[in-house]
Amino acid sequence: MLGALAGAAASLLYNLGVALQALEAREMPAEAGARVGLLARLARRPRWLAGAGLNVAGWPLQSLALLLAPLAVVQPALACGLVALLVVGARHLGEPVGRREVGAVLAIVAGVAVLTLVAGEPSTHHASPAVVATVLAGLGAAALVPLLLTRRGEVDGAIPALTGGLGFAWGGLSTKFVADALHDRLWIVALGWAAATGLAAAVATLGEMTALQRRPATQIAPLVFVIQVVVPVAAAPALTGERPGHGVAGVAGLVIALLVVVGAAVALVTSPVVRSVVDESPASVERGTGDSPRSRNLPANRTTVAGDGAPAAMTM
């Protein structure tokens, strides 16, 4: 339970940080996407840097969480930070909280609670270096391909979002290895994994910011979240030896609870209350009349490609 609470605290910082960053990403020209220059330009904006600082501050809490609980608990607990955005939207922007939002919050809490009961004990035993290297290399390559496709031509915003999700999934696994190295007092190994995590986070952030230039975050955030939660949990048994307790019942409970948390998080992400936190015109979310992030960068006489326009909003 302490690990889940630490993961929830990390999620609070992550979600608030990404909310700030997305506001700036939407203002960047589309041609800057999928290039390192995009991050360089964003890094000159104080609000984006403040969001990055919150993300950095959340990472030690995630590492602590992985010292106390397995990946199957910590990664889904990252959904808990969405509750903070719900509170902000309700209290400061006057957005009504309905049964959908309340139900989603209760489902997240219940799902994470069940995961703490069935996920088993955290493990510091890893697969062979060859297996770990093969899996992480494959995951890293899969994360880079969508970014390269985006650089070569005009693609849908969901493509670079895959880089964001897979990159953060890679970082979730490497953060687990940081925590395990700290547990065993292997300081140099921990430092190496920490550096690798930072690189993965940079690539993932570039993919996510590029995606947010092209599509509303209500379409991008669910995809990124689902990938960064499901992939590490699925890979954990093979890489870290973390397996559910209670036999077949434990496995079934883990799968069901994970589906509940992911589904509730997606419902909360797309809620008008959460979207209103960083939407420039909250009322447009309700009416569905907001412009897409990218449409602000198009000339007035250019028609937006079908499917590219959508209500401008952000959540994470």
Side-chain angles (χ1 to χ4, degrees):
M1 186 60 68
L2 289 176
L5 291 175
S11 175
L12 169 64
L13 297 176
Y14 287 154
N15 279 277
L16 294 177
V18 172
L20 289 174
Q21 290 178 314
L23 288 170
E24 299 294 349
R26 298 195 312 183
E27 300 302 323
M28 291 290 105
E31 59 269 18
R35 290 171 169 79
V36 176
L38 174 62
L39 294 183
R41 296 175 70 166
L42 287 169
R44 293 196 291 267
R45 300 198 171 207
R47 186 165 56 178
W48 192 89
L49 284 176
L54 289 174
N55 285 324
V56 171
W59 185 71
L61 288 172
Q62 184 181 2
S63 301
L64 174 63
L66 288 167
L67 284 171
L68 302 171
L71 268 168
V73 172
V74 176
Q75 291 299 112
L78 297 180
C80 295
L82 294 170
V83 179
L85 299 185
L86 179 67
V87 172
V88 171
R91 290 180 60 87
H92 296 284
L93 300 178
E95 295 290 333
V97 175
R99 286 179 292 182
R100 168 182 173 173
E101 290 78 19
V102 173
V105 170
L106 293 177
I108 289 173
V109 172
V112 172
V114 170
L115 287 170
T116 63
L117 297 176
V118 303
E121 296 295 326
S123 170
T124 58
H125 300 289
H126 302 158
S128 67
V131 172
V132 173
T134 300
V135 173
L136 291 184
L139 183 58
L144 289 174
V145 168
L147 205 59
L148 295 176
L149 292 175
T150 303
R151 291 192 62 175
R152 291 186 175 182
E154 189 68 21
V155 297
D156 185 84
I159 300 301
L162 295 175
T163 292
L166 292 171
F168 287 129
W170 203 103
L173 289 169
S174 61
T175 299
K176 164 64 178 173
F177 296 138
V178 171
D180 290 347
L182 291 175
H183 177 272
D184 296 333
R185 299 186 179 183
L186 301 173
W187 312 119
I188 301 300
V189 174
L191 185 61
W193 280 117
T197 302
L199 180 60
V203 172
T205 299
L206 178 58
E208 187 177 34
M209 296 298 113
T210 301
L212 289 170
Q213 290 182 294
R214 290 163 166 77
R215 277 181 174 258
T218 47
Q219 299 173 17
I220 297 303
L223 178 59
V224 173
F225 176 80
V226 170
I227 294 173
Q228 76 177 72
V229 169
V230 172
V231 170
V233 172
L239 295 184
T240 69
E242 293 181 347
R243 292 177 172 80
H246 312 289
V248 176
V251 174
L254 186 147
V255 172
I256 293 172
L258 184 61
L259 291 175
V260 168
V261 171
V262 168
V266 171
L268 205 54
V269 159
T270 55
S271 162
V273 186
V274 176
R275 282 185 285 170
S276 69
V277 174
V278 291
D279 184 37
E280 292 180 355
S281 178
S284 69
V285 176
E286 296 287 351
R287 296 194 302 267
T289 59
D291 297 329
S292 72
R294 187 169 168 237
S295 67
R296 297 192 185 96
N297 297 316
L298 296 175
N301 61 350
R302 179 177 172 184
T303 302
T304 304
V305 178
D308 193 37
M314 170 59 202
T315 180
M316 183 65 185

